[in-house]
Short mmCIF file of all heavy atoms in Angstrom, two decimals:
data_model
loop_
_atom_site.label_atom_id
_atom_site.label_comp_id
_atom_site.label_asym_id
_atom_site.label_seq_id
_atom_site.Cartn_x
_atom_site.Cartn_y
_atom_site.Cartn_z
N ASP A 257 10.93 2.16 -10.04
CA ASP A 257 10.37 0.72 -10.40
C ASP A 257 9.44 0.24 -9.45
O ASP A 257 8.93 -0.80 -9.56
CB ASP A 257 11.62 -0.23 -10.52
CG ASP A 257 12.61 0.28 -11.56
OD1 ASP A 257 12.19 0.71 -12.67
OD2 ASP A 257 13.77 0.23 -11.43
N GLY A 258 9.32 0.67 -8.12
CA GLY A 258 8.51 0.41 -7.18
C GLY A 258 8.51 1.39 -5.97
O GLY A 258 9.19 2.44 -5.99
N PHE A 259 7.58 1.28 -5.02
CA PHE A 259 7.44 2.12 -4.05
C PHE A 259 7.42 1.58 -2.54
O PHE A 259 7.09 0.27 -2.44
CB PHE A 259 6.02 2.94 -4.14
CG PHE A 259 5.98 3.98 -5.25
CD1 PHE A 259 5.59 3.70 -6.41
CD2 PHE A 259 6.48 5.17 -4.85
CE1 PHE A 259 5.54 4.75 -7.35
CE2 PHE A 259 6.32 6.24 -5.73
CZ PHE A 259 6.02 5.98 -7.03
N ILE A 260 7.83 2.22 -1.63
CA ILE A 260 7.71 1.94 -0.12
C ILE A 260 6.76 2.94 0.36
O ILE A 260 7.06 4.19 0.39
CB ILE A 260 9.04 1.81 0.44
CG1 ILE A 260 9.79 0.67 0.00
CG2 ILE A 260 8.75 1.62 2.05
CD1 ILE A 260 11.33 0.55 0.55
N LEU A 261 5.71 2.57 0.95
CA LEU A 261 4.70 3.36 1.82
C LEU A 261 5.29 3.26 3.27
O LEU A 261 5.41 2.24 3.79
CB LEU A 261 3.39 3.06 1.66
CG LEU A 261 2.78 2.99 0.17
CD1 LEU A 261 1.36 2.50 0.20
CD2 LEU A 261 2.80 4.32 -0.51
N THR A 262 5.48 4.54 3.87
CA THR A 262 5.87 4.55 5.36
C THR A 262 4.71 4.58 6.24
O THR A 262 5.02 4.76 7.55
CB THR A 262 6.92 5.52 5.43
OG1 THR A 262 6.36 6.83 5.12
CG2 THR A 262 8.20 5.24 4.69
N ARG A 263 3.48 4.58 5.89
CA ARG A 263 2.35 4.72 6.82
C ARG A 263 1.19 4.08 6.19
O ARG A 263 1.05 4.16 4.91
CB ARG A 263 2.13 6.10 7.25
CG ARG A 263 0.84 6.24 8.07
CD ARG A 263 0.49 7.69 8.41
NE ARG A 263 1.51 8.33 9.35
CZ ARG A 263 1.45 9.63 9.57
NH1 ARG A 263 0.65 10.52 8.98
NH2 ARG A 263 2.32 10.05 10.40
N THR A 264 0.46 3.30 6.83
CA THR A 264 -0.84 2.64 6.33
C THR A 264 -1.97 3.29 7.10
O THR A 264 -1.99 3.62 8.26
CB THR A 264 -0.84 1.15 6.47
OG1 THR A 264 -0.47 0.90 7.93
CG2 THR A 264 0.11 0.55 5.60
N LEU A 265 -3.09 3.54 6.37
CA LEU A 265 -4.22 4.21 6.80
C LEU A 265 -5.52 3.35 6.64
O LEU A 265 -5.52 2.40 5.87
CB LEU A 265 -4.57 5.49 6.01
CG LEU A 265 -3.37 6.49 5.94
CD1 LEU A 265 -3.63 7.62 5.05
CD2 LEU A 265 -3.12 7.20 7.44
N VAL A 266 -6.55 3.67 7.45
CA VAL A 266 -7.94 2.79 7.27
C VAL A 266 -8.37 3.04 5.88
O VAL A 266 -8.61 2.11 5.18
CB VAL A 266 -8.80 3.46 8.29
CG1 VAL A 266 -10.18 2.62 8.16
CG2 VAL A 266 -8.28 3.13 9.74
N LYS A 267 -8.48 4.23 5.44
CA LYS A 267 -8.80 4.58 4.03
C LYS A 267 -7.46 5.03 3.32
O LYS A 267 -7.12 6.17 3.46
CB LYS A 267 -9.94 5.59 3.91
CG LYS A 267 -11.29 5.13 4.43
CD LYS A 267 -12.34 6.17 4.36
CE LYS A 267 -13.64 5.64 4.80
NZ LYS A 267 -14.75 6.64 4.73
N ASP A 268 -6.84 4.16 2.74
CA ASP A 268 -5.52 4.40 2.29
C ASP A 268 -5.44 4.76 0.71
O ASP A 268 -5.34 3.86 -0.12
CB ASP A 268 -4.62 3.20 2.47
CG ASP A 268 -3.13 3.45 2.71
OD1 ASP A 268 -2.67 4.54 2.07
OD2 ASP A 268 -2.51 2.74 3.56
N ALA A 269 -5.56 5.96 0.46
CA ALA A 269 -5.53 6.55 -0.93
C ALA A 269 -4.21 6.14 -1.64
O ALA A 269 -4.26 5.80 -2.90
CB ALA A 269 -5.78 8.03 -0.91
N PRO A 270 -2.97 6.33 -0.99
CA PRO A 270 -1.84 6.04 -1.72
C PRO A 270 -1.75 4.60 -2.14
O PRO A 270 -1.30 4.17 -3.37
CB PRO A 270 -0.65 6.38 -0.89
CG PRO A 270 -1.33 7.37 0.05
CD PRO A 270 -2.67 7.11 0.23
N ALA A 271 -2.17 3.65 -1.23
CA ALA A 271 -2.13 2.15 -1.47
C ALA A 271 -3.08 1.78 -2.52
O ALA A 271 -2.84 1.03 -3.55
CB ALA A 271 -2.39 1.47 -0.24
N GLU A 272 -4.30 2.48 -2.51
CA GLU A 272 -5.30 2.16 -3.53
C GLU A 272 -4.87 2.57 -4.92
O GLU A 272 -5.05 1.96 -5.97
CB GLU A 272 -6.55 2.90 -3.21
CG GLU A 272 -7.41 2.20 -2.00
CD GLU A 272 -7.77 0.63 -2.18
OE1 GLU A 272 -8.17 0.50 -3.40
OE2 GLU A 272 -7.57 0.02 -1.40
N TYR A 273 -4.29 3.81 -4.93
CA TYR A 273 -3.75 4.22 -6.25
C TYR A 273 -2.73 3.32 -6.76
O TYR A 273 -2.74 2.95 -8.04
CB TYR A 273 -3.24 5.69 -6.13
CG TYR A 273 -2.52 6.14 -7.34
CD1 TYR A 273 -3.23 6.46 -8.57
CD2 TYR A 273 -1.10 6.29 -7.42
CE1 TYR A 273 -2.64 6.90 -9.77
CE2 TYR A 273 -0.52 6.69 -8.66
CZ TYR A 273 -1.29 7.07 -9.77
OH TYR A 273 -0.69 7.48 -10.89
N LEU A 274 -1.74 2.90 -6.04
CA LEU A 274 -0.70 1.94 -6.50
C LEU A 274 -1.18 0.77 -6.93
O LEU A 274 -0.65 0.02 -7.88
CB LEU A 274 0.46 1.89 -5.34
CG LEU A 274 1.26 3.23 -5.11
CD1 LEU A 274 2.26 2.91 -3.94
CD2 LEU A 274 2.02 3.67 -6.36
N LYS A 275 -2.14 0.20 -6.28
CA LYS A 275 -2.83 -1.14 -6.62
C LYS A 275 -3.40 -0.93 -8.02
O LYS A 275 -3.22 -1.78 -8.91
CB LYS A 275 -3.88 -1.53 -5.61
CG LYS A 275 -3.33 -2.03 -4.34
CD LYS A 275 -4.48 -2.29 -3.35
CE LYS A 275 -5.66 -3.02 -3.90
NZ LYS A 275 -6.71 -3.23 -3.00
N GLU A 276 -4.02 0.24 -8.39
CA GLU A 276 -4.54 0.48 -9.73
C GLU A 276 -3.53 0.41 -10.76
O GLU A 276 -3.74 0.01 -11.83
CB GLU A 276 -5.31 1.78 -9.62
CG GLU A 276 -6.63 1.64 -8.66
CD GLU A 276 -7.26 3.04 -8.73
OE1 GLU A 276 -6.79 3.95 -9.44
OE2 GLU A 276 -8.28 3.21 -7.95
N THR A 277 -2.47 1.01 -10.39
CA THR A 277 -1.34 1.16 -11.51
C THR A 277 -0.65 -0.14 -11.71
O THR A 277 -0.07 -0.40 -12.88
CB THR A 277 -0.24 2.19 -11.13
OG1 THR A 277 0.51 1.67 -9.85
CG2 THR A 277 -0.90 3.51 -10.70
N GLY A 278 -0.62 -1.11 -10.77
CA GLY A 278 0.04 -2.47 -10.95
C GLY A 278 1.54 -2.34 -10.62
O GLY A 278 2.23 -3.37 -10.76
N ILE A 279 2.13 -1.20 -10.23
CA ILE A 279 3.45 -1.08 -9.91
C ILE A 279 3.78 -1.79 -8.53
O ILE A 279 3.01 -1.63 -7.57
CB ILE A 279 3.92 0.47 -9.86
CG1 ILE A 279 5.36 0.55 -9.84
CG2 ILE A 279 3.38 1.11 -8.63
CD1 ILE A 279 5.92 2.03 -9.99
N PRO A 280 4.88 -2.36 -8.47
CA PRO A 280 5.19 -3.20 -7.22
C PRO A 280 5.27 -2.11 -5.99
O PRO A 280 5.87 -1.02 -6.16
CB PRO A 280 6.60 -3.82 -7.28
CG PRO A 280 6.62 -3.87 -9.02
CD PRO A 280 5.93 -2.69 -9.47
N PHE A 281 4.96 -2.41 -4.86
CA PHE A 281 4.95 -1.63 -3.70
C PHE A 281 4.90 -2.42 -2.41
O PHE A 281 4.26 -3.52 -2.43
CB PHE A 281 3.94 -0.46 -3.72
CG PHE A 281 2.57 -0.72 -3.31
CD1 PHE A 281 2.12 -0.55 -1.97
CD2 PHE A 281 1.70 -1.14 -4.21
CE1 PHE A 281 0.84 -0.82 -1.62
CE2 PHE A 281 0.38 -1.45 -3.89
CZ PHE A 281 -0.08 -1.36 -2.57
N VAL A 282 5.53 -1.98 -1.39
CA VAL A 282 5.39 -2.75 0.00
C VAL A 282 5.16 -1.55 1.02
O VAL A 282 5.56 -0.45 0.96
CB VAL A 282 6.86 -3.28 0.38
CG1 VAL A 282 6.71 -3.84 1.77
CG2 VAL A 282 7.21 -4.33 -0.73
N ALA A 283 4.31 -1.91 1.87
CA ALA A 283 3.77 -0.91 2.95
C ALA A 283 4.45 -1.22 4.34
O ALA A 283 4.68 -2.38 4.58
CB ALA A 283 2.34 -1.01 3.13
N ILE A 284 4.99 -0.17 4.86
CA ILE A 284 5.51 -0.23 6.32
C ILE A 284 4.26 -0.01 7.18
O ILE A 284 3.77 1.16 7.24
CB ILE A 284 6.57 0.68 6.53
CG1 ILE A 284 7.88 0.28 5.75
CG2 ILE A 284 6.90 0.69 8.11
CD1 ILE A 284 9.11 1.22 5.92
N GLY A 285 3.81 -1.10 7.78
CA GLY A 285 2.57 -0.85 8.59
C GLY A 285 1.53 -1.87 8.25
O GLY A 285 1.42 -2.19 7.09
N CYS A 286 0.73 -2.38 9.06
CA CYS A 286 -0.20 -3.36 8.88
C CYS A 286 -1.46 -2.82 8.10
O CYS A 286 -1.67 -1.66 8.07
CB CYS A 286 -0.77 -4.12 10.16
SG CYS A 286 -1.62 -2.89 11.23
N THR A 287 -2.13 -3.67 7.44
CA THR A 287 -3.30 -3.30 6.67
C THR A 287 -4.45 -4.54 6.77
O THR A 287 -3.85 -5.63 6.75
CB THR A 287 -3.10 -2.84 5.35
OG1 THR A 287 -4.28 -2.56 4.50
CG2 THR A 287 -2.17 -3.94 4.49
N GLU A 288 -5.55 -4.23 6.59
CA GLU A 288 -6.54 -5.38 6.40
C GLU A 288 -6.69 -5.80 5.01
O GLU A 288 -7.53 -6.76 4.79
CB GLU A 288 -7.85 -4.83 6.97
CG GLU A 288 -7.75 -4.66 8.60
CD GLU A 288 -9.03 -4.05 9.13
OE1 GLU A 288 -10.04 -3.75 8.41
OE2 GLU A 288 -9.18 -3.91 10.39
N ASP A 289 -6.11 -4.99 4.09
CA ASP A 289 -6.15 -5.26 2.66
C ASP A 289 -5.31 -6.57 2.30
O ASP A 289 -4.08 -6.31 2.33
CB ASP A 289 -5.87 -4.23 1.80
CG ASP A 289 -6.00 -4.38 0.29
OD1 ASP A 289 -6.12 -5.55 0.00
OD2 ASP A 289 -6.29 -3.36 -0.38
N GLU A 290 -5.74 -7.76 2.10
CA GLU A 290 -5.02 -8.91 1.93
C GLU A 290 -4.24 -8.82 0.58
O GLU A 290 -3.29 -9.56 0.49
CB GLU A 290 -5.79 -10.15 1.98
CG GLU A 290 -6.36 -10.44 3.36
CD GLU A 290 -7.27 -11.64 3.42
OE1 GLU A 290 -7.37 -12.44 2.38
OE2 GLU A 290 -7.73 -11.98 4.58
N SER A 291 -4.51 -7.90 -0.21
CA SER A 291 -3.79 -7.82 -1.55
C SER A 291 -2.44 -7.04 -1.35
O SER A 291 -1.78 -7.01 -2.47
CB SER A 291 -4.61 -7.26 -2.72
OG SER A 291 -4.94 -5.89 -2.39
N VAL A 292 -2.31 -6.27 -0.40
CA VAL A 292 -1.15 -5.52 -0.21
C VAL A 292 -0.11 -6.22 0.69
O VAL A 292 -0.31 -6.84 1.62
CB VAL A 292 -1.52 -4.20 0.66
CG1 VAL A 292 -0.31 -3.41 1.00
CG2 VAL A 292 -2.43 -3.36 -0.16
N VAL A 293 1.28 -6.15 0.18
CA VAL A 293 2.36 -6.76 0.96
C VAL A 293 2.73 -5.70 1.87
O VAL A 293 3.02 -4.65 1.60
CB VAL A 293 3.53 -7.06 -0.11
CG1 VAL A 293 4.75 -7.40 0.73
CG2 VAL A 293 3.02 -8.09 -1.06
N TRP A 294 2.90 -6.12 3.16
CA TRP A 294 3.28 -5.20 4.25
C TRP A 294 4.18 -5.87 5.19
O TRP A 294 4.22 -7.10 5.40
CB TRP A 294 2.04 -4.70 4.97
CG TRP A 294 1.15 -5.67 5.60
CD1 TRP A 294 0.02 -6.22 5.04
CD2 TRP A 294 1.21 -6.05 7.01
NE1 TRP A 294 -0.53 -7.03 6.02
CE2 TRP A 294 0.13 -6.99 7.28
CE3 TRP A 294 2.02 -5.86 8.03
CZ2 TRP A 294 -0.17 -7.53 8.44
CZ3 TRP A 294 1.76 -6.55 9.29
CH2 TRP A 294 0.78 -7.27 9.45
N ILE A 295 5.01 -4.98 5.86
CA ILE A 295 6.01 -5.37 6.88
C ILE A 295 5.90 -4.36 8.07
O ILE A 295 5.81 -3.13 7.74
CB ILE A 295 7.46 -5.39 6.34
CG1 ILE A 295 7.39 -6.25 5.15
CG2 ILE A 295 8.47 -5.70 7.39
CD1 ILE A 295 8.80 -6.31 4.42
#
């Protein structure tokens, strides 16, 4: 039903893919992408 990413990258392929799918996800680690929820 959703994902947790345990690492964030400068060019973040997992995050980009999940954004395209629309599935809820939260990243552990900061990101400059303001559309990503992160902690």
Side-chain angles (χ1 to χ4, degrees):
D257 299 325
F259 282 94
I260 292 174
L261 302 180
T262 55
R263 176 184 287 169
T264 52
L265 305 170
V266 175
K267 294 183 178 179
D268 206 326
E272 287 300 318
Y273 172 72
L274 292 178
K275 281 170 56 181
E276 290 172 6
T277 67
I279 192 169
F281 74 95
V282 181
I284 293 178
C286 66
T287 174
E288 295 176 351
D289 187 338
E290 294 184 358
S291 67
V292 173
V293 174
W294 61 269
I295 299 172

